[in-house]
Amino acid sequence: MNAVAPALEAVTARPRLPVHVPWPALLGSLSSDDAQALDALAATRSVAEGQTIATRGTAARQLIALLDGQAVCGWAQPDRGLSAERVVHGPQWLVLSAPLGEGRHHSDVVAQSRVLLAELPVDPLRALAARRPMLSLRFMDTLAREVGRLDTRLHELMHKDAGARLAAWLCAQLQGSSQVVLRLAERKRDIASQLGMTPETLSRMMRSLSERGLIAVSGYTVRVLDPDALHGLAGT
Amino acid sequence: MNAVAPALEAVTARPRLPVHVPWPALLGSLSSDDAQALDALAATRSVAEGQTIATRGTAARQLIALLDGQAVCGWAQPDRGLSAERVVHGPQWLVLSAPLGEGRHHSDVVAQSRVLLAELPVDPLRALAARRPMLSLRFMDTLAREVGRLDTRLHELMHKDAGARLAAWLCAQLQGSSQVVLRLAERKRDIASQLGMTPETLSRMMRSLSERGLIAVSGYTVRVLDPDALHGLAGT
DNA sequence: CGCGGCCTTGAGTTTACTCAAGGGAGGTGG
DNA sequence: CCACCTCCCTTGAGTAAACTCAAGGCCGCG
């Protein structure tokens, strides 16, 4: 078991930590029966900062949920580091579709802090899902939402310029916290990378927005001064 | 029923045409029981060229499969027409994740030829899937593959330049037909749009590739002369 | 205090876009 | 049968957006 990342075994050892997995946060509301069945299948493990969790193109045999910590999915290039396509904060799925689909990881995944993972081997999970219809439905819904998010990002990348993408991203962040003050939880270079621009361009766009009075930036704190104008700039 | 597009009813009338729906092409291998259950749920209808099939942001209550013809998903802008994000040839899913996820259409969808659709209302489908585990699994797999495709496109759009994207697209087309001669099935402007570039840029890239001897272009026919070099240009 | 990341800023360059004009294929009507 | 129209693709010239490269400043840490 855990054949995916044998090299990590030595480093991170300790399988099946006695940890509570917050399935509702990952899959939506679940019967306690279903949750227990998942618990029985899941193995948790901890991974140190900087360690590789998955490698693009290698076999993906387990679904992986990030329970705690921060990890980044993206593209590792020799001596350019890893450019972030998605930054994940627990609890959230880290690897959901690859084992269910083509069976190969789409991205390189690296821990950005010490993280706690829960892993579900896909074959037993399939067998379980075949017996528990509501569980399959929850996975269907979760996957469908993921498609929606990707569609949106693809759309923005194709049709919006850097300023609009940043504005849209800020608006999206705003929804979550329902406040006007944002604390950026990621390095700016990772934000830039997710938005498909360079750190330099992000920096200039931030400055442009603050010069126009839409936001006020101070380090990793962003205060949104004019949410409506920001929404307008984002192009709905 | 068919409340999604009441305006079309008058035009396209005839619900439940007696048509065979090729479920295996849409969902993978299926028991005949499952296929029959889906048949019982599905309604087919025909839509004329140029008609709107779905509108971004409106309620999505049915899964829609394109059985025959060609349709385009994208973004309709007033007097810029519709810019293609995805061109679909039957048989293939046209609207799969939106009803299962947020319940709103992600894109505008327009028929590019006379098309034949099969529609599955999502609520009865959910009920059916709850009773038929293998069916849910097929939907899970189909959605997971869709996520994989979107991930790939997102990755290419973020990290590859126009030339590499075109090369990658040509390589992908090549897999399907396993030949060296491609017949483009879509307008070049739609290909360009899907690749996130303008028609002018696509034209120049095509010329650049043929000047370098990688392909030979004649109208809508492309002969691939150097598949390896093309693969290299595509960046794996 | 010095060091290493990270962000910022500026200058110069590249890529891809916009705008405008021209040519080919297909369809329609005289 | 030809003239004409329309739609689409192509090509060129100029422009604008974003990237690269290089330098400088800030912050936290040893």
Side-chain angles (χ1 to χ4, degrees), chain A residues 56 75 83-85 97 100-102 106 126 129-130 133-134 136-137 139-141 143-151 153-155 157-159 193-194 196, chain B residues 56 75 83-85 97 100-102 106 126 129-130 133-134 136-137 139-141 143-151 153-155 157-159 193-194 196:
Chain A
R56 178 176 221 102
W75 190 30
S83 69
E85 289 172 5
S97 71
L100 294 169
E102 309 80 11
H106 308 143
R126 272 218 169 78
M134 293 318 285
S136 322
L137 287 181
F139 275 101
M140 265 176 52
D141 292 349
L143 283 163
R145 278 172 208 284
E146 182 67 16
V147 172
R149 277 189 292 272
L150 290 173
D151 256 2
R153 286 186 64 182
L154 205 54
H155 174 73
L157 218 42
M158 285 177 41
H159 297 299
S193 186
Q194 289 177 85
Chain B
R56 179 177 220 100
W75 190 29
S83 70
E85 288 172 5
S97 70
L100 294 169
E102 308 79 11
H106 308 143
R126 273 219 167 78
M134 293 318 285
S136 323
L137 286 181
F139 275 101
M140 265 175 52
D141 292 350
L143 283 162
R145 278 172 207 284
E146 182 65 17
V147 172
R149 277 188 293 271
L150 290 173
D151 255 2
R153 286 186 64 182
L154 206 54
H155 174 72
L157 218 42
M158 284 177 40
H159 298 298
S193 185
Q194 289 177 84

Side-chain angles (χ1 to χ4, degrees), chain A residues 72 80-85 87 112 184 186-200 202-203 206 220, chain B residues 158:
Chain A
V72 55
R80 288 215 158 192
L82 181 145
S83 69
E85 289 172 5
V87 175
Q112 273 198 329
L184 307 184
E186 306 147 27
R187 293 184 305 177
K188 288 186 179 172
R189 62 175 42 174
D190 289 329
I191 297 172
S193 186
Q194 289 177 85
L195 294 175
M197 63 185 82
T198 58
E200 293 94 327
L202 176 66
S203 181
M206 286 281 209
Y220 281 83
Chain B
M158 284 177 40

Side-chain angles (χ1 to χ4, degrees), chain A residues 59-79:
Chain A
R61 288 192 256 275
Q62 336 206 5
L63 283 69
I64 308 178
L66 177 63
L67 302 184
D68 193 59
Q70 188 174 116
V72 55
C73 308
W75 190 30
Q77 281 169 300
D79 70 61

Side-chain angles (χ1 to χ4, degrees), chain A:
Chain A
M1 219 184 263
N2 279 338
V4 168
L8 288 178
E9 290 305 285
V11 182
T12 60
R14 238 173 319 155
R16 295 192 182 265
L17 303 175
V19 178
H20 174 249
V21 180
W23 298 114
L26 297 169
L27 289 170
S29 65
L30 223 55
S31 78
S32 59
D33 270 12
D34 286 340
Q36 280 170 25
L38 286 175
D39 279 331
L41 234 53
T44 60
R45 62 184 242 256
S46 171
V47 172
E49 178 173 349
Q51 294 295 316
T52 297
I53 295 169
T55 303
R56 178 176 221 102
T58 61
R61 288 192 256 275
Q62 336 206 5
L63 283 69
I64 308 178
L66 177 63
L67 302 184
D68 193 59
Q70 188 174 116
V72 55
C73 308
W75 190 30
Q77 281 169 300
D79 70 61
R80 288 215 158 192
L82 181 145
S83 69
E85 289 172 5
R86 194 161 68 104
V87 175
V88 180
H89 307 261
Q92 188 57 255
W93 287 104
L94 202 54
V95 173
L96 175 62
S97 71
L100 294 169
E102 309 80 11
R104 310 252 143 212
H105 286 289
H106 308 143
S107 320
D108 297 303
V109 183
V110 172
Q112 273 198 329
S113 67
R114 171 154 278 275
V115 300
L116 187 58
L117 305 179
E119 296 180 323
L120 287 169
V122 69
D123 292 333
L125 178 64
R126 272 218 169 78
L128 180 66
R131 278 180 283 121
R132 301 194 157 265
M134 293 318 285
L135 204 50
S136 322
L137 287 181
R138 288 290 86 77
F139 275 101
M140 265 176 52
D141 292 349
T142 306
L143 283 163
R145 278 172 208 284
E146 182 67 16
V147 172
R149 277 189 292 272
L150 290 173
D151 256 2
T152 304
R153 286 186 64 182
L154 205 54
H155 174 73
E156 299 196 331
L157 218 42
M158 285 177 41
H159 297 299
K160 292 182 182 171
D161 63 18
R165 293 204 299 278
L166 174 57
W169 185 85
L170 288 170
C171 288
Q173 300 299 305
L174 225 47
Q175 313 295 351
S177 66
S178 76
Q179 293 183 3
V180 288
V181 178
L182 297 174
R183 306 227 87 238
L184 307 184
E186 306 147 27
R187 293 184 305 177
K188 288 186 179 172
R189 62 175 42 174
D190 289 329
I191 297 172
S193 186
Q194 289 177 85
L195 294 175
M197 63 185 82
T198 58
E200 293 94 327
T201 300
L202 176 66
S203 181
R204 288 185 246 271
M205 290 301 153
M206 286 281 209
R207 185 151 52 99
S208 160
L209 289 181
S210 44
E211 279 171 357
R212 284 191 274 167
L214 303 195
I215 62 177
V217 184
S218 161
Y220 281 83
T221 303
V222 177
R223 174 187 303 272
V224 177
L225 303 175
D226 191 342
D228 294 338
L230 211 56
H231 244 95
L233 228 176
T236 33

Side-chain angles (χ1 to χ4, degrees), chain B residues 46-84:
Chain B
S46 173
V47 172
E49 179 173 347
Q51 294 294 319
T52 298
I53 295 169
T55 303
R56 179 177 220 100
T58 60
R61 288 191 256 275
Q62 336 207 3
L63 282 70
I64 308 179
L66 177 63
L67 302 184
D68 193 58
Q70 190 174 117
V72 54
C73 308
W75 190 29
Q77 281 169 300
D79 72 60
R80 288 216 159 191
L82 180 146
S83 70

